[in-house]
């Protein structure tokens, strides 16, 4: 190979001589040539080692082969020799690099050149042959961006466009192209590609500053933003005109080169328009012209310029009495067109009084939702309706507010049973009526008086006798409560008549109450011995027990006599539980709230009654007289609950024999 170094050895086989001893081969020589010399050395076994030594490097491009003769001479006399022709073929070594036909290549192409456009073709030659002379091309010292835009055919050296060119990004590309042969020898050349500009860039809009949100009370002409517009093209392609859309209260005012100020042109109102989309348009002067636009979103900041407004002028809430505390009555709603805290509505009750108490003890309002709740259970019998004022306040600074009136109407429910005023249901009171033996059918003998604290149909009362000693003897008015005889009284009728009267209202469901009416058929008190025995029955039992106890523990007869006398003395002072024809209505029996507040119940609160009955009267009519005034004695000063309180007046009557009539003391009804 031509690339062999000087001193390289190539072994040559030694010559063969049939003679021996002095006549065998003794010396070798080579024909004189420019590149090889002969080296002969003795081996340890007496043989010769023959090498051709390269004395001068070969060059295939100058001399592709060599021929010379090798001589061998023996030691005989005469000497004999032998020859061998040596043919040297110089193998090609890659000792020649490719050479470009130009040291620098230059090309020019427009930036809108299509893909696969050929930019230029480079060429290089190599003096070597075969694979050593085959030249291939490749880029060397090329930017990553250029690799994506240009391609190089490794065989032909053709350079094409494979990517998008952009004059504004790179107007010139410089790179080096390497030409390399088969065994790696190479050379390079410089390539310069110039990109020419075309109008391929639209203007670009940049928002340098923008105030958002902007206050709705800005004065016209206030600057709210700065706009910068640029075009990467050059010359006329880069000249720009800028504008905004016409339907917004804004305009562009030119500033320094390619800078504009965005200013307001009118008064803003967030409640009318809370957001603006401003479209900015920019157009260059290229041919054809290119344009672009950008939309800027501006929000209008709120100021607290609107108070809350209720959806209705006033509100009405309807609730039935005996409602559960915490139940919902109604809901008030106020709208505030302001934003966030300026539009956040808080509800509260204004201070006031309802029926002498603070309004907060009756109602509460949810500050966030406006839902009004009942704090307590309402009673229709106390009041039927009331009004409260609700305030709606926003969270602005300063806050704005408005008020609305809420009327609460309480409807009645049938929650009060009829209250029987007469006869009293007090077990400590024992009342009877005397019925003359000569009473004819239809005679008024007594009257059940009852009231109902409810109103309307809930207070419409009806009376009915549910049981009686003699079912056919007495009847009661369904609506009046008057007890009359159905027939004439006969001697066979029992002296003691017991009536159980039921009083029922007209509510849903109806409520009722019962009372017992004790009637004595007699013309005077002296004949009513059985009634006295009845009244003293319990006391007699107590006396018997007391006597037995005293007898068992007393050992002195004198003590026993004293005790017996004392007991008899006490018995004479026991109360007579007998009222002769008297209709007494103690004030203690009146319900505290039986009267109807609107005057539609069973008894009006502005009236009271004085009742007169005589045992000799067959009609025994009630007489209702003047209304209550300051001259009327209070009920608690005229009647007492216990029958024992009436003992003295009745004993006086018995002593005087005037038992024909008993007049009830005046009793005022609330």
């Amino acid at each position: 190979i031509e690339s062999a170094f000087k001193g390289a050895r190539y072994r040559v086989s030694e010559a063969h001589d049939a003679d021996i001893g002095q006549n065998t081969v003794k010396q070798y020589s080579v024909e004189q040539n420019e590149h090889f010399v002969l080296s002969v050395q003795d081996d340890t076994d007496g043989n010769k080692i023959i090498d051709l030594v390269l004395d001068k490097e070969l060059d295939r491009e100058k001399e592709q082969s060599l021929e010379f003769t090798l001589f061998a001479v023996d030691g005989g006399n005469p000497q004999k020799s032998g020859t061998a022709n040596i043919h040297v073929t110089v193998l090609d070594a890659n000792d020649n690099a490719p050479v470009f036909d130009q040291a620098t290549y230059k090309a020019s192409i427009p930036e809108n050149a299509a893909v696969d456009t050929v930019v230029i073709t480079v060429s290089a030659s190599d003096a070597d042959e075969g694979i050593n002379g085959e030249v291939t091309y490749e880029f060397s010292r090329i930017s990553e961006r250029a690799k994506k835009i240009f391609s190089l055919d490794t065989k032909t050296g053709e350079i094409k466009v494979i990517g998008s060119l952009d004059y504004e990004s790179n107007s010139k590309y410089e790179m080096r192209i390497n030409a390399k042969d088969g065994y790696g020898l190479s050379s390079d050349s410089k390539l310069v590609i110039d990109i020419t500009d075309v109008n391929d860039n639209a203007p670009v809009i940049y928002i340098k500053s923008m105030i958002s949100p902007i206050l709705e009370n800005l004065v016209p002409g206030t600057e709210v933003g700065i706009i910068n517009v640029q075009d990467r093209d050059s010359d006329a392609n880069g000249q720009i005109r800028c504008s905004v859309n016409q339907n917004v209260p804004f305009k562009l005012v030119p500033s320094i080169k390619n800078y504009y100020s965005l200013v307001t042109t009118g008064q803003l109102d967030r409640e009318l328009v809370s957001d603006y989309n401003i479209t900015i348009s920019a157009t260059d002067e290229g041919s054809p012209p290119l344009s672009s636009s950008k939309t800027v979103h501006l929000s209008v900041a709120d100021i607290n310029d609107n108070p809350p407004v209720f959806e209705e002028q006033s509100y009405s809430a309807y609730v039935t009495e005996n409602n559960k505390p915490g139940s919902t009555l109604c809901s008030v709603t106020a709208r505030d067109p302001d934003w966030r805290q300026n539009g956040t509505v808080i509800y509260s009750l204004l201070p006031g009084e309802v029926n002498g108490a603070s309004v907060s003890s009756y109602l509460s309002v949810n500050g966030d939702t406006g839902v009004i709740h009942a704090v307590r259970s309402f009673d229709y019998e106390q009041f039927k309706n009331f009004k409260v004022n609700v305030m709606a306040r926003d969270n602005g600074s300063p806050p704005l507010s408005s008020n609305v009136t809420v009327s609460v109407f309480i409807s009645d429910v049938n929650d009060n049973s009829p209250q029987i005023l007469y006869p009293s249901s007090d077990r400590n009171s024992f009342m009877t009526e005397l019925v003359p033996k000569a009473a004819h059918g239809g005679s008024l003998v007594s009257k059940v008086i009852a009231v109902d604290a409810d109103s309307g149909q809930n207070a419409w009362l009806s009376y009915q006798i549910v049981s009686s000693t003699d079912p056919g003897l007495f009847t009661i008015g369904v609506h009046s409560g008057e007890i009359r005889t159905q027939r004439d009284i006969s001697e066979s009728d029992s002296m003691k008549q017991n009536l159980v009267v039921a009083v029922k209202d007209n509510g849903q469901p109806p409520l009722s109450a019962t009372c017992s009416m004790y009637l004595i058929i007699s013309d005077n008190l002296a004949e009513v011995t059985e009634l006295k025995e009845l009244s003293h029955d319990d006391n007699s039992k107590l006396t018997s027990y007391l006597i037995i106890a005293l007898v068992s523990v007393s050992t002195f007869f004198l003590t026993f006599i004293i005790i017996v006398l004392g007991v008899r003395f006490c018995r004479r002072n026991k109360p007579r539980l007998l009222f002769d024809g008297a209709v007494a209505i103690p004030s203690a029996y009146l319900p505290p709230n039986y009267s109807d507040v609107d005057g539609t119940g069973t008894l009006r609160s502005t009236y009271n009654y004085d009742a007169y009955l005589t045992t000799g009267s067959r009609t025994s009519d009630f007489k209702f007289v003047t209304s209550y005034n300051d001259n009327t004695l209070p009920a608690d000063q005229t009647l007492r609950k216990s029958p024992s309180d009436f003992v003295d007046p009745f004993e006086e009557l018995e002593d005087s024999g005037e038992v024909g009539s008993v007049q009830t003391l005046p009793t005022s009804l609330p």
Side-chain angles (χ1 to χ4, degrees):
I1 190 168
E2 63 175 329
S3 61
F5 296 106
K6 181 179 180 181
R9 291 176 176 272
Y10 301 92
R11 180 64 55 86
V12 178
S13 301
E14 62 180 334
H16 177 69
D17 194 333
D19 295 327
I20 62 173
Q22 187 67 27
N23 295 325
T24 189
V25 178
K26 294 297 186 180
Q27 187 178 358
Y28 294 89
S29 64
V30 66
E31 182 181 0
Q32 187 176 359
N33 61 83
E34 187 179 358
H35 296 282
F36 289 95
V37 294
L38 187 65
S39 172
V40 179
Q41 295 179 356
D42 293 329
D43 195 2
T44 55
D45 57 357
N47 295 324
K48 302 292 186 179
I49 298 175
I50 304 170
D51 293 317
L52 287 177
V53 180
L54 183 63
D55 186 51
K56 182 180 178 182
E57 289 83 355
L58 301 172
D59 186 357
R60 190 201 68 80
E61 285 70 38
K62 293 181 179 180
E63 194 174 13
Q64 297 183 358
S65 63
L66 298 174
E67 287 188 1
F68 53 88
T69 303
L70 177 63
F71 299 96
V73 180
D74 61 16
N77 189 11
Q79 285 185 332
K80 293 186 177 184
S81 63
T83 61
N85 292 325
I86 296 177
H87 180 78
V88 178
T89 300
V90 181
L91 300 178
D92 183 42
N94 194 25
D95 55 350
N96 290 281
V99 178
F100 284 96
D101 55 2
Q102 294 182 33
T104 301
Y105 292 90
K106 292 184 177 181
S108 179
I109 187 171
E111 62 176 329
N112 60 348
V115 176
D116 290 335
T117 300
V118 177
V119 180
I120 194 172
T121 301
V122 297
S123 177
S125 60
D126 195 320
D128 294 323
E129 66 176 5
I131 191 172
N132 295 327
E134 294 180 358
V135 179
T136 58
Y137 304 92
E138 62 182 16
F139 287 120
S140 66
R141 284 186 291 174
I142 183 173
S143 65
E144 292 297 326
R145 182 180 179 85
K147 284 182 180 181
K148 298 177 181 179
I149 298 176
F150 301 103
S151 67
L152 174 61
D153 191 318
T154 58
K155 298 295 185 182
T156 64
E158 187 177 68
I159 298 174
K160 292 183 179 181
V161 176
I162 61 171
S164 298
L165 298 173
D166 189 0
Y167 171 84
E168 290 70 34
S169 297
N170 285 89
S171 61
K172 178 183 291 187
Y173 291 92
E174 292 186 2
M175 63 198 76
R176 300 197 71 85
I177 299 175
N178 185 278
K180 183 174 62 175
D181 59 22
Y183 283 99
L185 295 181
S186 63
S187 62
D188 59 8
S189 177
K190 184 178 181 181
L191 172 61
V192 178
I193 301 176
D194 291 320
I195 309 299
T196 58
D197 183 43
V198 295
N199 190 26
D200 60 343
N201 287 280
V204 180
I205 302 171
Y206 296 97
I207 308 299
K208 292 301 182 180
S209 66
M210 189 65 64
I211 300 174
S212 183
I214 56 178
L215 293 176
E216 60 179 326
N217 60 348
L218 286 180
V219 296
T222 303
E223 181 182 87
V224 296
I226 298 176
I227 310 299
N228 176 241
V229 183
Q230 296 182 0
D231 194 321
R232 298 172 64 189
D233 295 323
S234 59
D235 300 329
N237 295 333
Q239 299 297 318
I240 306 168
R241 298 186 305 272
C242 203
S243 63
V244 296
N245 52 319
Q246 300 298 318
N247 59 345
V248 293
F250 299 92
K251 68 177 181 179
L252 287 176
V253 177
S255 181
I256 59 176
K257 182 180 180 181
N258 293 334
Y259 278 86
Y260 298 86
S261 295
L262 182 66
V263 298
T264 60
T265 60
Q267 187 66 48
L268 304 178
D269 189 350
R270 193 204 70 85
E271 285 69 46
L272 296 178
V273 181
S274 60
D275 298 275
Y276 289 96
N277 290 321
I278 305 172
T279 301
I280 302 171
S281 300
T283 304
D284 63 24
E285 296 183 359
S287 181
L290 299 178
S291 62
S292 63
S293 63
K294 190 168 188 177
T295 300
V296 178
H297 181 80
L298 277 183
S299 298
V300 181
D302 183 53
I303 61 173
N304 193 27
D305 55 348
N306 291 281
V309 177
F310 284 95
E311 293 183 347
E312 300 181 17
Q313 295 291 335
S314 61
Y315 292 85
S316 297
Y318 298 90
V319 59
T320 58
E321 64 173 330
N322 303 325
N323 58 293
K324 292 184 178 179
S327 59
T328 300
L329 300 187
C330 68
S331 176
V332 297
T333 303
R335 305 295 182 186
D336 193 323
D338 292 327
W339 191 54
R340 288 192 175 175
Q341 66 178 15
N342 293 332
T344 300
V345 180
I346 299 175
Y347 303 91
S348 61
L349 291 175
L350 290 178
E353 289 189 356
V354 175
N355 202 26
S358 173
V359 66
S360 60
S361 64
Y362 289 90
L363 300 178
S364 67
V365 61
N366 188 302
D368 297 326
T369 63
V371 176
I372 298 177
H373 301 276
V375 175
R376 64 166 67 175
S377 179
F378 298 131
D379 189 353
Y380 178 84
E381 286 69 43
Q382 289 185 346
F383 50 87
K384 296 185 297 183
N385 58 75
F386 60 91
K387 293 182 179 181
V388 296
N389 291 320
V390 178
M391 179 180 69
R393 176 180 58 84
D394 60 29
N395 264 338
S397 180
L400 301 177
S401 63
S402 60
N403 302 333
V404 72
T405 300
V406 179
S407 299
V408 180
F409 297 94
I410 304 170
S411 58
D412 184 47
V413 297
N414 193 28
D415 60 341
N416 290 282
S417 300
Q419 298 291 310
I420 299 175
L421 305 182
Y422 182 82
S424 173
S425 60
D426 191 347
R427 294 184 178 180
N428 295 324
S429 297
F430 186 77
M431 297 183 182
T432 63
E433 294 284 356
L434 288 181
V435 180
K437 293 181 179 180
H440 297 290
S443 298
L444 177 65
V445 297
S446 185
K447 182 175 182 178
V448 176
I449 302 175
V451 294
D452 195 313
D454 295 321
S455 63
Q457 67 176 8
N458 294 330
W460 298 349
L461 303 181
S462 60
Y463 301 83
Q464 180 184 4
I465 297 177
V466 295
S467 67
S468 63
T469 303
D470 190 344
L473 183 57
F474 299 100
T475 183
I476 190 169
V478 176
H479 301 295
S480 65
E482 294 179 348
I483 300 176
R484 296 178 181 271
T485 57
Q486 295 190 75
R487 57 177 175 79
D488 295 342
I489 295 177
S490 64
E491 294 294 335
S492 61
D493 292 327
S494 175
M495 177 181 292
K496 295 186 297 180
Q497 296 288 331
N498 184 13
L499 303 181
V500 177
V501 178
V503 183
K504 182 174 68 173
D505 60 26
N506 199 38
Q508 292 296 329
L511 301 177
S512 63
T514 60
C515 66
S516 295
M517 176 72 71
Y518 298 97
L519 302 177
I520 303 299
I521 300 176
S522 176
D523 290 329
N524 56 70
L525 294 173
E527 298 178 358
V528 196
T529 58
E530 294 183 7
L531 179 61
K532 295 182 180 180
E533 293 177 358
L534 177 62
S535 64
H536 292 293
D537 184 38
D538 292 339
N539 291 329
S540 298
K541 292 181 180 180
L542 180 61
T543 302
S544 300
Y545 296 149
L546 183 59
I547 293 175
I548 294 174
L550 291 175
V551 171
S552 62
V553 299
S554 177
T555 57
F556 301 98
F557 179 76
L558 182 59
T559 305
F560 174 79
I561 297 299
I562 294 174
I563 291 175
V564 171
L565 293 176
V567 170
R568 290 185 177 182
F569 179 79
C570 291
R571 289 182 59 186
R572 292 190 60 188
N573 290 280
K574 288 295 180 179
R576 296 177 180 269
L577 303 181
L578 175 63
F579 292 80
D580 184 10
V583 182
I585 309 173
S587 63
Y589 301 143
L590 300 179
N593 59 348
Y594 76 92
S595 61
D596 188 5
V597 293
D598 61 353
T600 60
T602 56
L603 290 178
R604 296 183 179 270
S605 60
T606 58
Y607 292 94
N608 59 60
Y609 306 91
D610 290 336
Y612 300 89
L613 291 180
T614 60
T615 56
S617 175
R618 292 185 179 181
T619 58
S620 299
D621 294 328
F622 285 92
K623 178 182 179 182
F624 304 102
V625 292
T626 60
S627 61
Y628 177 80
N629 54 58
D630 295 338
N631 297 325
T632 304
L633 291 177
D636 57 357
Q637 297 180 16
T638 60
L639 295 179
R640 299 179 177 85
K641 296 181 181 180
S642 175
S644 62
D645 297 334
F646 293 92
V647 172
D648 293 339
F650 272 91
E651 287 184 350
E652 292 176 0
L653 289 176
E654 287 181 358
D655 293 340
S656 62
E658 295 179 359
V659 295
S661 65
V662 178
Q663 176 175 316
T664 61
L665 296 177
T667 303
S668 59
L669 301 179

